[in-house]
Amino acid sequence: TQLLEQSPQFLSIQEGENLTVYCNSSSVFSSLQWYRQEPGEGPVLLVTVVTGGEVKKLKRLTFQFGDARKDSSLHITAAQPGDTGLYLCAGAPTGTASKLTFGTGTRLQVTL
Amino acid sequence: DSGVTQTPKHLITATGQRVTLRCSPRSGDLSVYWYQQSLDQGLQFLIQYYNGEERAKGNILERFSAQQFPDLHSELNLSSLELGDSALYFCASSADPHGTGNEKLFFGSGTQLSVL
């Protein structure tokens, strides 16, 4: 079983602060996805990173895939209350017919 | 709105009972996935169907079964329910025909199952 550990598990910050969420594994992934889940809803895909070392930006969110494709990070600049939610990373193992493995999740709360 | 519809939104039942959860995928998506989300286990993959055929199995108990119908909607059947089966059950769909794991998943809003 390929496990994805996310840290921190919980994060409570004030509006305007910066934060980084980490997603780590001992396994290599062919790609890695980040989702955000809000209460009462299903996860929504934010980004997919495919190449080792790849950096993708989505407004105030910056996603990075580790060089060895075993880890990823999500950095949020100037967090806003609308960023509140559960952030999940999901890795696609190498090889075919393998399913996405979801991380343990980071619950973020941004207060005014 | 992801385009994936799940019913019912909430389900309360007793131990030993059997329930059916229903999912309609996004228009045109042939793949349907079922996931279970609980506080202690996170989001766990249960099973995938592609165009009516079972494509992959994850951590699905023998008491659980699923199927995908010709109109592509899917049902997840949970039987002999136990307290520990209480969780959020999500359906997701994807247009990816290869099942490689790189597919983009679109999730429904889930069914909250409470077993009392």
Side-chain angles (χ1 to χ4, degrees):
Chain A
T1 303
Q2 294 166 296
L3 298 175
L4 276 167
E5 297 286 337
Q6 286 184 239
S7 62
Q9 270 189 295
F10 302 96
L11 197 50
S12 182
I13 62 171
Q14 289 191 316
E15 183 180 19
E17 291 185 28
N18 301 332
L19 66 117
T20 302
V21 175
Y22 299 94
C23 173
N24 295 297
S25 175
S26 57
S27 303
V28 176
F29 293 97
S30 62
S31 67
L32 200 134
Q33 300 177 353
W34 283 92
Y35 291 79
R36 179 171 65 214
Q37 183 179 9
E38 298 184 19
E41 299 297 327
V44 175
L45 179 66
L46 297 174
V47 77
T48 301
V49 285
V50 179
T51 307
E54 182 177 3
V55 177
K56 276 192 175 178
K57 290 193 174 184
L58 188 66
K59 296 184 181 177
R60 295 174 294 100
L61 278 60
T62 302
F63 305 85
Q64 184 162 10
F65 202 10
D67 291 340
R69 290 185 288 133
K70 292 183 179 181
D71 55 86
S72 181
S73 64
L74 157 60
H75 183 79
I76 301 179
T77 303
Q80 298 178 0
D83 296 327
T84 294
L86 176 68
Y87 288 82
L88 296 161
C89 62
T94 53
T96 59
S98 297
K99 298 297 107 187
L100 284 174
T101 298
F102 278 83
T104 47
T106 294
R107 197 166 294 278
L108 171 65
Q109 181 171 25
V110 183
T111 55
L112 292 170
Chain B
D1 183 7
S2 66
V4 178
T5 304
Q6 285 189 252
T7 57
K9 198 161 178 64
H10 301 278
L11 199 49
I12 302 174
T13 188
T15 55
Q17 295 298 304
R18 183 179 189 275
V19 296
T20 298
L21 312 184
R22 183 188 168 102
C23 168
S24 293
R26 286 190 324 155
S27 176
D29 284 356
L30 300 179
S31 277
V32 170
Y33 306 75
W34 286 97
Y35 283 84
Q36 178 192 60
Q37 187 176 41
S38 58
L39 286 174
D40 58 341
Q41 294 289 321
L43 200 60
Q44 298 286 317
F45 168 68
L46 297 178
I47 197 165
Q48 181 206 0
Y49 278 82
Y50 174 73
N51 202 21
E53 300 287 327
E54 181 183 304
R55 176 62 67 92
K57 255 185 178 179
N59 302 320
I60 188 167
L61 300 172
E62 284 192 13
R63 299 183 285 108
F64 297 179
S65 65
Q67 57 185 128
Q68 186 178 27
F69 295 87
D71 66 354
L72 300 178
H73 90 271
S74 178
E75 293 182 355
L76 179 66
N77 300 297
L78 315 175
S79 62
S80 303
L81 285 167
E82 302 175 359
L83 295 177
D85 297 327
S86 296
L88 258 172
Y89 290 84
F90 284 105
C91 167
S93 75
S94 167
D96 188 302
H98 304 298
T100 59
N102 292 328
E103 56 266 48
K104 296 180 182 179
L105 300 184
F106 294 86
F107 283 82
S109 298
T111 293
Q112 177 69 62
L113 174 66
S114 298
V115 182
L116 306 178

